Amino acid sequence: MTSKKIALVTGAAGGIGTEVCRLFLNNGYKVVATHRPGKEEQAANWLQEEQLAGKDIQLLALDVTDHQAVGEAVPALIQELGQIDVLVNNAGITRDATFKKMSWQQWQDVMATNLNSLFSVTQPVFNQMCEQGSGRIINISSVNGLKGQYGQVNYSAAKAGMIGFTKALAAEGARFGVCVNAVAPGYTATPMVTAIREDVLDSIKATIPMKRLATTEEVAGAVLYLAGEYGGYITGETLSVNGGLYMQ
Ligand code: NDP
């Protein structure tokens, strides 16, 4: 059994997830990185490409929307490793449409991945953290959950829901030494955002007081802070990393 702190990161192979994994590994954590079932080969390639192979990282196939599968895999992981010290609920999707045209499926998909998954993944981890008497849970919300975004009624609702979840669970976890917080990134330079047409991206940047996107390192750094020694008295908070785009 390892004496290192163990961090479980969902949606790990994405833009922000990759940097969270890298930063945790570089700061002495053991990392369990989840990928979607059926993507074993891509996940193994990801480890190589990101030069994470050979580090203290293990892969776990986990569809965060599959409540039953998560309910089996996460307790089994806890059994295998003995504990999880940090959970980063990072997996997320967008299915944008104006509300007039939004389908029920687009609504449900976004809710299932961004919000319902918090119930499934967090519950077994939270229970173990409470027994252990310590733990950090960090939920990756979004600036659009705080301010609302045109064409993202589903995503804004789910990301705002994550913040309510964070506060309520923080109230329950505090007496057990479990801190629960959210990080709300603004536009971050991940493939999801850099794929936006250049002129559109330029107009987005023009609305950001800092006139640029966040780097994945800047978002991951906020996660590391909340997970670490100096984050121990912060709970129920939402830490914005948005270049001044929205000030709470
Ligand atoms: P990516 O699309 O790069 O990463 C998202 C990750 O989530 C992918 O690895 C994806 O896997 C995984 N995922 C999606 N659905 C599931 C599922 N059902 N089960 C397990 N994993 C799943 O996005 P980002 O890195 O940009 O975003 C990470 C988080 O940050 C998200 O929650 C996003 O909403 C949030 N965010 C991002 C911002 C940005 O500007 N980039 C701004 C604000 C918030 P796969 O590759 O297989 O699809």
Side-chain angles (χ1 to χ4, degrees), residues 231-242:
Y233 201 57
I234 302 174
T235 198
E237 272 303 315
T238 298
L239 180 49
S240 285
V241 184
N242 66 24

Side-chain angles (χ1 to χ4, degrees), residues 6-10 20 24 30-34 58 60 62 74 77-78 84-90 121 125 138:
I6 301 173
L8 171 61
V9 182
T10 68
V20 169
F24 276 128
K30 175 184 173 65
V31 172
V32 180
T34 83
Q58 76 183 61
L60 178 71
L62 199 70
V74 174
L77 181 74
I78 294 169
I84 292 170
D85 301 288
V86 180
L87 167 63
V88 185
N89 283 308
N90 169 73
V121 179
V125 177
I138 298 139

Side-chain angles (χ1 to χ4, degrees), residues 164-177:
F165 175 100
T166 297
K167 290 179 180 175
L169 195 64
E172 292 190 22
R175 80 192 61 176
F176 300 104

Side-chain angles (χ1 to χ4, degrees), residues 29-172:
Y29 289 78
K30 175 184 173 65
V31 172
V32 180
T34 83
H35 60 85
R36 280 204 263 195
K39 288 196 159 183
E40 283 67 19
E41 203 180 320
Q42 288 98 318
N45 290 339
W46 167 73
L47 284 182
Q48 294 293 340
E49 283 158 17
E50 296 294 338
Q51 300 183 336
L52 301 176
K55 301 202 177 199
D56 201 354
I57 183 166
Q58 76 183 61
L59 297 171
L60 178 71
L62 199 70
D63 176 353
V64 298
T65 67
D66 187 338
H67 178 69
Q68 199 182 332
V70 171
E72 288 164 14
V74 174
L77 181 74
I78 294 169
Q79 182 81 26
E80 177 194 337
L81 299 179
Q83 68 194 68
I84 292 170
D85 301 288
V86 180
L87 167 63
V88 185
N89 283 308
N90 169 73
I93 58 165
T94 52
R95 294 287 182 270
D96 297 353
T98 56
F99 189 59
K100 277 184 180 172
K101 293 186 179 161
M102 186 174 287
S103 68
W104 177 234
Q105 194 62 49
Q106 285 174 312
W107 171 268
Q108 281 188 312
D109 287 349
V110 166
M111 285 298 156
T113 307
N114 296 282
L115 187 58
N116 294 349
S117 66
L118 289 202
F119 181 92
S120 310
V121 179
T122 308
Q123 196 175 51
V125 177
F126 180 74
N127 290 345
Q128 170 256 311
M129 285 176 170
C130 288
E131 270 174 39
Q132 177 177 301
S134 66
R136 305 285 169 84
I137 296 169
I138 298 139
N139 302 316
I140 309 299
S141 178
S142 168
V143 65
N144 293 344
L146 293 166
K147 72 172 187 57
Q149 176 62 32
Y150 185 95
Q152 289 194 327
V153 164
N154 50 2
Y155 186 76
S156 298
K159 292 300 191 186
M162 292 178 82
I163 292 171
F165 175 100
T166 297
K167 290 179 180 175
L169 195 64
E172 292 190 22

